[in-house]
């Protein structure tokens, strides 16, 4: 008896990529259950990365270190550190990366200032080639701005500091006078004079 020939199965046609990532459901609070804010964060992050993978064909954050990714996650949520949920987020992300919540808060400020480049400026001093860095002190003096002492890629005064990034931008920092507790402030600028003026609020 002859065998019936089976037709090969055809795969389902690909579904169109949605315009934007989906939103997770609302997670209720319950005794002993995971924190709803943390669940929402993880679900939102998973949806965004899956959507980017479908659109771009690659995960845009796959090359980040665990620390860089923790900073990115914390920086993506406005008001972090102000509520009980976001304080818990800072605490948990900092503990998972062997840092302190203050380390994370400072890094988040740097990320919001300039993304991955801003975080690099916060964490690494470097020796810039001759050029824009050498021209910055005379430009500041000509604009009648405070004198800043140079060290590597940094120009420092009693309460403000400029850092030249590898991207050619000047990043502003502020500290309480004579404390050397520098925090990123303002928007990066191609012009050191503009960066200082923005810090001084002129």
């Amino acid at each position: 008896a002859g065998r019936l020939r089976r037709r090969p199965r055809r795969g389902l046609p690909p579904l169109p990529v949605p315009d934007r990532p989906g939103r997770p459901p609302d997670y209720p609070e319950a005794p002993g259950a995971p924190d709803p804010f943390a669940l929402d964060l993880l679900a939102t992050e998973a949806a965004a990365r899956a959507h980017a993978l479908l659109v771009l064909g690659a995960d845009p954050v796959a090359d980040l270190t665990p620390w860089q990714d923790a900073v990115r996650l914390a920086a993506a949520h406005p008001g972090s550190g102000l509520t009980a949920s976001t304080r818990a987020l800072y605490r948990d992300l900092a503990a998972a990366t062997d840092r302190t919540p203050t380390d994370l808060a400072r890094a988040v400020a740097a990320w919001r200032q300039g993304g991955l480049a801003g975080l690099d400026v916060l964490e690494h001093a470097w020796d810039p080639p001759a050029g824009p860095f050498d021209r910055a002190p005379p430009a500041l003096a000509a604009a009648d701005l405070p004198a800043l002492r140079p060290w590597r890629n940094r120009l420092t005064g009693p309460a403000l500091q400029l850092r030249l990034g590898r991207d050619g931008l000047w990043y502003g920092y502020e500290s309480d006078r004579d404390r050397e507790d520098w925090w990123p402030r303002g928007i990066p600028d191609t012009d050191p004079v503009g960066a200082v003026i923005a810090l001084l609020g002129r």
Side-chain angles (χ1 to χ4, degrees):
R3 288 187 173 181
L4 292 175
R5 298 181 63 184
R6 294 183 178 178
R7 293 181 179 178
R9 293 182 179 179
R10 294 181 179 177
L12 294 174
L15 296 174
V17 177
D19 293 336
R20 61 182 61 85
R23 289 288 306 155
D26 291 331
Y27 297 102
E29 293 189 25
D35 176 40
F37 180 81
L39 287 176
D40 183 81
L41 172 68
L42 292 174
T44 300
E45 171 69 8
R49 293 180 71 173
H51 185 264
L53 186 60
L54 288 172
V55 173
L56 304 174
D59 185 348
V61 299
D63 293 333
L64 297 182
T65 66
W67 168 241
Q68 291 167 343
D69 203 33
V71 175
R72 180 188 66 84
L73 280 171
H77 295 273
S80 290
L82 300 179
T83 66
S85 293
T86 50
R87 282 196 299 271
L89 171 67
Y90 269 42
R91 182 195 64 231
D92 293 345
L93 288 174
T97 52
D98 199 26
R99 307 290 181 104
T100 69
T102 299
D103 292 336
L104 182 59
R106 197 188 315 265
V108 164
W111 189 280
R112 289 177 177 164
Q113 185 186 43
L116 189 58
L119 185 60
D120 181 71
V121 168
L122 170 70
E123 298 184 328
H124 301 107
W126 61 290
D127 295 314
F133 187 82
D134 298 319
R135 292 192 293 269
L140 294 173
D144 197 26
L145 292 170
L148 305 177
R149 65 183 184 278
W151 179 78
R152 303 194 74 183
N153 66 318
R154 301 173 183 180
L155 297 172
T156 304
L160 66 85
Q161 184 183 80
L162 291 184
R163 300 184 183 186
L164 179 62
R166 298 176 197 272
D167 55 3
L169 297 178
W170 291 94
Y171 291 77
Y173 279 70
E174 289 181 340
S175 172
D176 290 337
R177 185 172 290 270
D178 300 325
R179 281 197 61 195
E180 295 290 323
D181 183 30
W182 299 105
W183 285 76
R185 294 286 187 269
I187 300 171
D189 199 317
T190 56
D191 177 17
V193 172
V196 172
I197 289 175
L199 284 176
L200 295 175
R202 292 188 183 178

